[in-house]
Structures are given as structure tokens and as C-alpha cells.
Amino acid sequence: MNPRQEVSARRRVPATKVSIPVPRGDRVSRPRLFTLLDDARDAAMVFVGAPAGFGKTTLLAGWARQRGRGAVAWLTADADDNDDRRFWSAVLEALGGCLPVPAASPLRHLAVPHEPGTDLAFLAQVADALDALAQPVLLVLDSAQEITSPRTWHGLQTLLRHQPAGLRLAVSSRREPPLPLVRARLADRLVDIGADRLRFSAAEATAFVETTGPRIPADQISLLVARTEGWPAGLRLATASAAKHGSLRDFFAGRDQAVLDYLTDEVLAPLTDAQQDLVRAMSVCDEVPAGLAAALTGRPDAEVVLRELGEPALQVVRSAGTPPVHQLPSLLRTYLRAELLRRAPDRTRTLHAAAARWFADSDRPALALLHSIRSGNTTRVGDLLHRHAVSLFLGGDHRVLRLALAVLDDRRVPADPLPALVSAALCLETGETSTAGLQLARAEAAWPDRPSAELTVLRQLAYSRLAQLDRSPAQAVRAAEQIDESLAAGTPLAGLATLHRAGTLVARHGNGAAREAVVRVLGAAEEQGQDFTVTQCLTVLGGLAGFDGDYQVMETLARRAESRQPIHDPQRSLPAAQVGAMLAYGALLRGEPADCVDQAKRIGRLLGAAPARAARNLRLFAETLHGAAEFELGGWHAGLRRMRRARAHLGAGRACPSEHAALCAVLEHRAALRLGAAGQARETVRWAQPLLTGSGELLLLRARTQLRLGRHSAASSVLRSLADGETPLLLPWVAIEASLIGIQAALAAGAPERAARLLGSALRAAEPAGVRFPLVFAPPDVLEFLTSGLGGFGTSERFAGEVLALRRRLSTPAIPAPLTERERSVLRLLPTQRSIDEIAEDLTVSPNTVKTHVRGIYAKLHVRSRRDAVAIALQRGLLDTDVTDFTV
């Protein structure tokens, strides 16, 4: 047969079948996966296996285009390839098409016999032709799940058995193909990329969302990744939904028809009717423990079907543990649950009722209560609530308790004080003290003649918590002292009662005894699975560590507490805000202002408009930290203004915690002086004096002021009074700040030896506490002195290097030249359109003096006109001095 006849013996192959797919415009490069593929050049095979929508084709096409057309033969499989003659015609077309032109390789003209998959001579010719190539070729077989014929696979198996040196094979499929993958794995000659590796990371998801057009808020991306579990198709569907509906609300709620259609066509269509019915039934549960599927469906073989659904060919169900717990992908579960409720509400309620009975029999009260709520059985809800409300509250199952209380008829509550007390306790944890008071009144109206110990202690705890959040410290102590610990000892509330009483020790400065008591409660609560009590203990211990200056311990405990909190629970939470305050404070002291700002914003979201005094103080604490961090990030005027507003709303009453007042004063005074706002600095000192009488922080403010006035000797004298230890510091880290003021005074006085001693002292104090803030954001003269001393700090050398490296990484711009007080006065009058003469008259100075100040303002603001000066001043916040626009 001549070459022309041999070529004609091949079947026609569409060009699209053997062409590398063109990447989508919104494709995100995935270098971590390309690196996996590139690093395994000695591997015989690449297998990319995952269900639909995981980006298998996109990955291989991107990798193939990166390698270059001459090194890659591409074949997109379809149902026609079950005819092995068509398949081998396509293989040869793909291989021949990637060879250099001209090329004499037999692959260009080799004839395809009638049954190529079993024709050993033909397969040997293919192998010899591949071995003769100057460099190996990569054959990509995409969508291999379309090939189901054993004949087609037999020929490929035979070719691979010869292991031609000129061939590498990359296969993508929804299921493992009948190829020698196991042998390749054992020989370490297989690159295996499965669904877990194909899932998008948070960073990849962010990059993908940014390329798609519709704006998805940054704070929703982590939720989006969690709900889609990094499934690439899920992310693509989400961005399409956001573009269509303007938000992700319909996508998250399971209402987007396009998403449902995709899941139905791509995920559910390959399943049998029995498998689909089981999947829909189990969608009413987030997790399905062994045995529950049978209870939901009445199928004794339910566990067998679940194992089938978890096999690589389907991967619809994930199972883990012994005995196994089964779970549908989150997105699939959401849409199936919504569709079931829409199309079959009666069956939905029946399934929830079956789940409620199963969980109740399995001693899982939280899930039993949740499914009872969803089944609409209020009688069962009431019974479960009465039996398990206290244990669920202590276990941290607050969301399900709120749902249960909401579905109960209001007429039930006055007749039974327990639901009212639980409702009050839940309101207190969100700072809703007014609503909590109403619930306590309901409980009092229904109080029985002979209450149980548990009921009595629960009431005492509710009043104690109310006093903690909305009363004076003295009232809080008195309320805690009313708790009967001996009565509580026989109830699950014993640990929480001890924790409340420990607060009285803290109020009397018995931190050591309080810590010991809280540690004991923590250990018992962890053993009993009382997550709420555990979180409360960790928060108290974190606060005590902060008071003692153990800021790294404070952050560690706060993160442990944070890990106990529900993920993506929109419910407001005072405990979560308290944890956030410690994390924000720790971030600032670590010298990470951006992290501090993020945490401060989160605190605001967690608190909302909760009216409790504790919530108000936390909001203002967060605003102070936010302002200080904003200042160090270069938002000098905005940050200083934020701190001033927070201080003004904090007020000067006794309700202001002294540590909080000290933090406000130290941070705002420091920023005001650095920016040249001497009037605001004086205002801060006047505010702090009655609140911080006898504290070391007042001496610090005085030393700073003396240094600013150029009175270096006076500043050093004040600092010596502080160093003698007779004046206590409310904030231990402030001793480091005092050392830096001393360094500045010593340098100004020409005493470098004293400055060096103080710097060494500051480094030794800062390192174990992890406090970098005063050093990282020190004035330029201190930073220059620190830099010049490198190599002579001994054991503190590494820490000094870390401080300077952090300063370089932050790249904070230099603070602009400050306006003088008189320039500020003139600036405030520029927007009024008064003439120079009229301004001079208002300020009782000469017009020439005003002109001099105006020239100084123009120079410092880098402007040339009055209008531009006003615009820049407004932009920087120099004209916004109103403190009444900040509502709390």
C-alpha cells in the first residue's frame, strides 16, 4: 500500500478534537500545580482525576500551552473513541500534528488496521516510531471517562506495556482508567493530581474572583471558599450568580437555577434513581453518621449505597472515621435541601422528624433539637429544650437554642422560668441587656415556690452577668458574691459559678488566686465538653495575661478561644468581641498595624449596636486601637481624629476602665505630639489626669511633653521618678516607651552611653513580651541609634534585627512637617471665605502675620492656592475636629 492509500485508511478526525483548548478569559494561573507537573519529568504518566467541574481540562491545557505546541499531542476523548479504529486514527493525527515540519516519522503516514487495539504489529510500529523521535512527546488524553470500550483501552495498555521512551501520557478523567496506574505509583513514575489538589486555595480564589468582573466583597471570599470547598466550578457559578443578581445571596441560599441545573446535569445525572433518592434524603443533614441514612430512607442497604457514592467514579459522598460519618459537598447539600423544601415540603418535614428521633436516641440533643425545629414539632422542641437547655448553653450551642426559643409560642415562656432564663442568658452574650431584663422579669413572674438548684443558680448567674456587662465594678462584685457555689456544686453550672466568683478576686487585685481558680474550671470544662465555659475561661485568662504584660500568652489564649467560636455565624457575640479586642491589641504591640485594623473592624461587626456598657467600652477600645494602627500606616490625621473621637465618647466617668483610659491617653498623646497637634496633646493630658491619678502613665505624658518642649533634663528627671518603681504602670509595655523617651533625651543631651544603656534595657524588656510597637515606630533619631548599635546588643541582637526588618517591610511614609498651633488656627478660618484682614482681626494679629502663616500652610501642604489648601486639609482630616459625629 502506498503512502496515499495508507493515509486514506485513517478515519477523518475533527481539528478541534486534536487541538489544545483555548483557555477561558477568566482562567487563573496555578503555578503550584504546574510545578508539580514540571518537577516530574521522569514520570511515565500523569493522571488528573476528579469529578466534574474541577478544572482538569483547564489545568492540562494551560500546562500544554506553557510547554509549547511542538512537545504536546492533544486528544479530547468522546463517545466515538469507543470505536478503537477511530480512536487510533485520532491518536496518530494528534501525534503527527505535533511533529516538526518537515518530518519523516512514520507517525505521519502509518495506516490504521481494522482492529488496531489487538494488532500487535501495528502497536509495535507506533512504539518504534515514538522511540525514534528526537525528543519525547507528551500525549494528553482528556475526558477519558468517555471511553468505556475494553477494546480501546486494550490497545493503549499494550502500548504502555512496551514503555516507549518517546512517549509520556497525561490522562484526565472523572474515574480511574483501566491503565497500569498502580504499577506506576509503586515505581514512583506517576504524577497523581486528584480533587484535593485541584481545589482552589483562598489566594487562588481571590485571584479568580478579581478576574471575573462582578465585585464580590473581600470578607465574603473566605465564606465562598468554605461553601464551595474550593470547587472551581462552584466558584465560577458563584461569580456568574453575583453578576446576574448583584450579590451572592441567591447563590448561598440555594436559589440560583443555573447552579441547580449544573449540579443536576453534571453531578446527579450519572447516579441511579436509588442513589439520587438517598442523596436527596441525606441533604437534610449536614453530616450523616453511620445508621442515620437507613433511618432516613428505610433502606437497610443504605451504607452500601453510600460506599458506592464515595468511590472515585462518583465521589459524591465523603466518608471519614470509624464508624464512618458521611457528608455531601456543601454546595450540593445546600441546593438539594432547598429544592426538596420547595418541591416536597411534607417529605422535608418527615425527614427532619426521622433525623430528630435518631439523634435523640443517639444522645445528640443539639441535633435532635435542630431537626425538631425544622420538622415543625413544637411539642418535641419544648420537651428537648426543658431537658437539655442548660447543657446546650454550656456547650456553646447557642444558635440552636435561639432557634428553639423563637419557634415556641410566647405563651409558654411565662409559665416556665427556664426558657426565660436561658433567653436572658443568650441576650446577655450579645450585649442586649434591655431584652435580657425583660426575660428576667418573665422568669420572676413564673418563679416556682420550690425551684431546683439548677434553676436557682442559673438565675444568680444571669444577674451576675448583667451586672458585669452593664453595672459598676462594685455592683458586679456584689452580684457575683450572691452566687451560691455550694448549691451550684451539684449542677452542670458549677464551673461557670466559680468563674463568676473568680471575677471578685480580679476586682480585688488577686490575679494569682483568680488564675488558679479559672485554670481548674478550664480543665473540668474541657473534659465535660462545655465549649462556652472553656471560651469564657480562656478569655479571662487572656485578659489576666494582658494585665500582667504577658502579651504573647494573651494572644495565644485568645486564638484558642477564637478557635472555639462558630465559623461564619453572623450572630453578634460579646465574648467573640472580647477575644477580638485581645487579638487587635496584641497585633498592635507586635508591630502589625494592618492586622490590628482588621481585628478592630471585626469587633465592630460582632458588637453591632448592642447597648450594654461593656459593648460600648469594647467599641471605643477597638476604635482607639484602630486609630493608633491607622496613624502608623500613614493615615496620620484620620487616625488621630479617630482616637480623639473615641476618647471623647469614652468620657471621664468612673465607668471608664483605668487600663482603657491609660491606653487612650498614651496612644493619642504620642500621636498628637508627633503630628504637631500640641493643643490636642494638652487636651488629652487634661482628660487623663482625674482618671489616672497616681499612675506611671501620667508621668510618661509629662516626660513626653517636657521632651517636646526641649527640656531634656526635666524629661530625664521625670523618667527617673518613673523608674524608681514607686509609681505603678497600668500598662506594663509603657516601660519600653519610657525607655525610648529617655533615649531621645539622652541623645539630645549628648549622653550616648546613657542612651545605649536605656536601649539595651528596652530590647531586653521588649523581646520576651513580643512588644515591637514602640521600637518599630520609634522616632527617626532612635531608629538611627538602634541601627548604629547593631552588632553590640548581645543576646538581643536577633530581636533588634527583627525590629528593623519589620520597619523596612512596613515602609511607613515619613510624617509630614506639622502645622503650628497658629497655622492650625488660620487653616480653620480659610474655608469661611474671610479676607486676610478679617482673619487677622478674628485672631487679633496683623495681616502680615496671617500672610506668613498662610505661606507656611501652603508649603507644608504642598499647594499654591487657598482652595487647594482647604481641599487637602479636608482630605487629611485637618479641618474635621467635630467629635459629635461618632455614634456608639
Side-chain angles (χ1 to χ4, degrees), residues 182-264:
V182 174
R183 187 176 67 193
R185 282 193 187 100
L186 293 174
D188 199 22
R189 300 199 66 201
L190 176 71
V191 180
D192 202 345
I193 298 178
D196 287 341
R197 280 178 164 167
L198 289 167
R199 295 183 194 279
F200 272 44
S201 66
E204 290 170 334
T206 301
F208 173 76
V209 167
E210 288 174 351
T211 67
T212 55
R215 178 66 177 160
I216 294 177
D219 61 351
Q220 286 193 1
I221 293 179
S222 61
L223 176 58
L224 180 59
V225 174
R227 291 285 181 87
T228 61
E229 297 166 327
W231 183 37
L235 291 166
R236 196 178 302 282
L237 291 165
T239 56
S241 181
K244 181 179 180 180
H245 302 290
S247 74
L248 290 173
R249 188 179 297 109
D250 285 346
F251 177 81
F252 285 144
R255 294 194 297 261
D256 192 301
Q257 187 62 42
V259 180
L260 180 60
D261 290 345
Y262 182 91
L263 293 171
T264 302

Side-chain angles (χ1 to χ4, degrees), residues 147 703 712:
I147 304 175
H712 312 127

Side-chain angles (χ1 to χ4, degrees), residues 40-47 136 160-170 180-192:
R41 295 187 182 277
D42 294 334
M45 270 192 287
V46 171
F47 176 54
L160 292 176
R161 199 174 302 124
H162 290 292
Q163 292 185 342
L167 177 68
R168 286 187 68 200
L169 179 65
L181 300 183
V182 174
R183 187 176 67 193
R185 282 193 187 100
L186 293 174
D188 199 22
R189 300 199 66 201
L190 176 71
V191 180
D192 202 345

Side-chain angles (χ1 to χ4, degrees), residues 250-436:
D250 285 346
F251 177 81
F252 285 144
R255 294 194 297 261
D256 192 301
Q257 187 62 42
V259 180
L260 180 60
D261 290 345
Y262 182 91
L263 293 171
T264 302
D265 294 342
E266 297 293 339
V267 179
L268 297 179
L271 308 185
T272 65
D273 289 344
Q275 290 171 333
Q276 288 193 32
D277 183 68
L278 176 55
V279 165
R280 287 190 166 90
M282 69 184 290
S283 72
V284 301
C285 300
D286 291 343
E287 293 183 340
V288 178
L292 175 55
L296 290 172
T297 62
R299 293 182 61 102
D301 64 341
E303 290 297 317
V304 175
V305 178
L306 284 171
R307 283 197 294 274
E308 293 172 354
L309 290 167
E311 290 175 356
L314 298 175
Q315 294 189 43
V316 174
V317 171
R318 291 194 300 273
S319 304
T322 306
V325 174
H326 312 288
Q327 193 175 35
L328 291 172
S330 177
L331 193 63
L332 178 63
R333 183 173 66 246
T334 297
Y335 274 81
L336 290 182
R337 185 182 296 174
E339 185 194 27
L340 190 65
L341 183 60
R342 208 164 39 241
R343 293 176 177 269
D346 290 341
R347 189 188 180 206
T348 299
R349 286 189 288 271
T350 299
L351 288 168
H352 281 300
R357 289 191 296 272
W358 191 90
F359 281 119
D361 293 342
S362 302
D363 196 25
R364 306 276 293 274
L367 289 169
L369 182 56
L370 178 63
H371 287 285
S372 295
I373 294 165
R374 291 175 175 170
S375 73
N377 189 335
T378 55
T379 301
R380 179 179 282 272
V381 169
D383 291 343
L384 288 169
L385 192 63
H386 199 273
R387 278 186 284 154
H388 301 292
V390 171
S391 62
L392 291 175
F393 179 79
L394 295 172
D397 295 299
H398 294 184
R399 177 173 171 270
V400 70
L401 284 173
R402 290 189 183 94
L403 292 173
L405 290 165
V407 302
L408 290 180
D409 188 86
D410 285 344
R411 288 172 297 177
R412 285 185 59 93
V413 177
D416 186 351
L418 178 62
L421 286 175
V422 172
S423 180
L426 292 170
C427 289
L428 290 170
E429 293 315 306
T430 61
E432 298 291 343
T433 48
S434 300
T435 308

